[in-house]
Amino acid sequence: MEVVNSIWLFFQDQILGMKWLNGLIGNALSQLGLDIDSRLGGSIQFFLYDVIKITILLCLLIFFISYIQSYFPPERSKKILGRFHGIGANIISALLGTVTPFCSCSSIPLFIGFTSAGLPLGVTFSFLISSPMVDLGSLVLLMSIFGAKVAFAYVIVGLIIAVIGGTLIEKLHMEEYVEDFVKNASNVDISSPTLTKKDRVQYAKEQVIGTFKKVFPYILIGVGIGAIIHNWIPETWIESILGSNNPFGVILATLVGIPMYADIFGTIPVAEALLAKGAQLGTILSFMMAVTTLSLPSLIMLKKAVKPKLLTLFIAICTFGIIIVGYLFNIFSTIFI
């Protein structure tokens, strides 16, 4: 058992976490005469390490996930979802969201397509919630920072929020609050051509390039913010605002995260820095969920497809679920950390 734990720790720290890279960058900066124990030196080391680490993981993950995604084009996903009914359909929809786009803005066109195709509204909302919040990329990235327990727990509770949210919307019969252009959109069901392995590899490469160009600026911003938090903001400040002494930390983190726009790759370095400064685990995860699921640009896009009452219900369900999850993680944080 000890051998297995040692192998796992090596995989988590050296393969996923790339701790060797941090040491390599620190040595290189020291050779250049920079004091990595100073605030400036520590910030530069943190910035370079996280940017390089996240970029490597990003490209590998996008390639792998896009290759899998090539087997689930919208037409096939629609057919899969059409075979299920009730809460089973919501569960499958939430799971399908884990192999689809990395941000909420990219998920909304698929949501509109599924809705116009006649899939139940609650099923499509389960997809819309899970797609940006939980994916295979978030699982691996969270494992590299927080460990396997936190990563799997995050994914599971994200799927639970997606299933419950979609089921609740379904039970409330909110179909009349979908805009007419979505309900009346023509849906031409064209079978996707059979792709060869070479085609799928090429598709995955194109997705890597396209997603990297879109996501990389947010990685730089997120890592920059993380470097500032990690080396310049006093630990007492973070603890007083997001630590255990503030019972409203989860609510504050959720509300602060909603207006922001980023994806899991941009929020990870901020979360890493906050955890190191004493912020509570549940508070950090609530912030991440709010940023990835309820970003202001995605809500503006969604407002074009649904009426205010349904949009408000969607925001309320997600916000309430995220806050509850945050408090639960804080209560049981000793299990995960």
Side-chain angles (χ1 to χ4, degrees), residues 103-105 218 221-223 225-226 229 252-263 266-268 270-271 274 286-300:
C103 67
S104 49
C105 286
Y218 298 106
I221 294 171
V223 175
I225 294 173
I229 293 172
L252 177 63
T254 303
L255 296 179
V256 168
I258 290 175
M260 300 177 67
Y261 176 63
D263 53 27
T267 58
I268 281 288
V270 179
L274 289 173
S286 290
F287 168 77
M288 292 174 60
M289 285 183 167
V291 172
T292 55
T293 309
L294 295 172
S295 65
L296 190 59
S298 69
L299 295 180
I300 292 173

Side-chain angles (χ1 to χ4, degrees), residues 32 39 51-52 57 90 123 138 142 176 214 247 249 268 270 308-309 314:
L32 293 174
R39 283 185 174 181
V51 167
I52 296 172
L57 288 174
N90 292 93
V123 172
S138 67
L142 285 165
E176 64 180 293
K214 180 174 65 174
I268 281 288
V270 179
K309 188 170 184 177
F314 168 74

Side-chain angles (χ1 to χ4, degrees), residues 98 134-135 138-139 142 150-160 289:
T98 64
V134 291
D135 54 52
S138 67
L139 176 62
L142 285 165
V150 174
F152 281 106
Y154 175 90
V155 171
I156 290 171
V157 297
L159 290 173
I160 291 173
M289 285 183 167

Side-chain angles (χ1 to χ4, degrees), residues 11-330:
F11 177 77
Q12 181 177 306
D13 293 339
Q14 302 301 328
I15 304 300
L16 294 180
M18 299 185 194
K19 299 299 184 183
W20 58 268
L21 177 63
N22 192 40
L24 189 65
I25 292 173
N27 290 334
L29 292 175
S30 296
Q31 291 294 323
L32 293 174
L34 190 66
D35 182 9
I36 60 174
D37 293 324
S38 67
R39 283 185 174 181
L40 179 60
S43 297
I44 293 175
Q45 182 183 14
F46 182 95
F47 184 84
L48 293 175
Y49 164 62
D50 260 32
V51 167
I52 296 172
K53 178 187 70 175
I54 293 175
T55 298
I56 292 172
L57 288 174
L58 170 71
C59 293
L60 291 175
L61 287 169
I62 292 175
F63 183 88
F64 175 71
I65 295 170
S66 297
Y67 189 88
I68 296 175
Q69 189 181 338
S70 68
Y71 289 93
F72 297 94
E75 296 84 1
R76 185 174 184 183
S77 298
K78 185 193 71 176
K79 290 179 180 178
I80 292 173
L81 292 175
R83 297 172 187 168
F84 297 88
H85 303 281
I87 194 170
N90 292 93
I91 294 173
I92 298 299
S93 180
L95 290 172
L96 277 176
T98 64
V99 291
T100 48
F102 296 94
C103 67
S104 49
C105 286
S106 303
S107 306
I108 289 173
L110 283 175
F111 159 77
I112 293 174
F114 288 156
T115 304
S116 64
L119 291 176
L121 187 63
V123 172
T124 59
F125 264 97
S126 287
F127 168 85
L128 183 63
I129 296 170
S130 73
S131 182
M133 185 184 292
V134 291
D135 54 52
L136 297 179
S138 67
L139 176 62
V140 176
L141 280 173
L142 285 165
M143 284 174 63
S144 71
I145 303 298
F146 300 107
K149 288 182 180 180
V150 174
F152 281 106
Y154 175 90
V155 171
I156 290 171
V157 297
L159 290 173
I160 291 173
I161 291 175
V163 172
I164 292 176
T167 302
L168 183 58
I169 288 174
E170 185 72 23
K171 296 297 183 183
L172 292 176
H173 303 291
M174 304 295 289
E175 288 79 10
E176 64 180 293
Y177 298 104
V178 176
E179 293 291 353
D180 292 337
F181 85 89
V182 175
K183 292 186 287 187
N184 299 329
S186 58
N187 182 57
V188 181
D189 189 6
I190 302 175
S191 298
S192 298
T194 302
L195 299 177
T196 64
K197 288 186 177 180
K198 184 178 180 181
D199 293 332
R200 297 186 193 282
V201 169
Q202 182 60 34
Y203 169 76
K205 288 181 179 178
E206 292 172 356
Q207 289 295 103
V208 169
I209 295 172
T211 306
F212 177 78
K213 289 180 179 178
K214 180 174 65 174
V215 169
F216 190 65
Y218 298 106
I219 293 177
L220 294 179
I221 294 171
V223 175
I225 294 173
I228 292 172
I229 293 172
H230 194 273
N231 293 280
W232 295 88
I233 296 181
E235 188 172 317
T236 53
W237 290 13
I238 301 297
E239 288 182 344
S240 63
I241 298 173
L242 301 178
S244 57
N245 291 329
N246 184 2
F248 302 105
V250 170
I251 298 174
L252 177 63
T254 303
L255 296 179
V256 168
I258 290 175
M260 300 177 67
Y261 176 63
D263 53 27
I264 192 69
F265 300 103
T267 58
I268 281 288
V270 179
E272 181 182 13
L274 289 173
L275 185 67
K277 286 291 185 177
Q280 288 189 288
L281 176 62
T283 305
I284 295 170
L285 295 181
S286 290
F287 168 77
M288 292 174 60
M289 285 183 167
V291 172
T292 55
T293 309
L294 295 172
S295 65
L296 190 59
S298 69
L299 295 180
I300 292 173
M301 288 181 62
L302 185 59
K303 186 178 182 297
K304 303 292 184 181
V306 301
K307 296 176 181 178
K309 188 170 184 177
L310 179 53
L311 179 65
T312 302
L313 178 62
F314 168 74
I315 295 172
I317 290 173
C318 291
T319 301
F320 183 75
I322 290 169
I323 290 173
I324 293 297
V325 166
Y327 280 114
L328 288 176
F329 264 97
N330 282 346

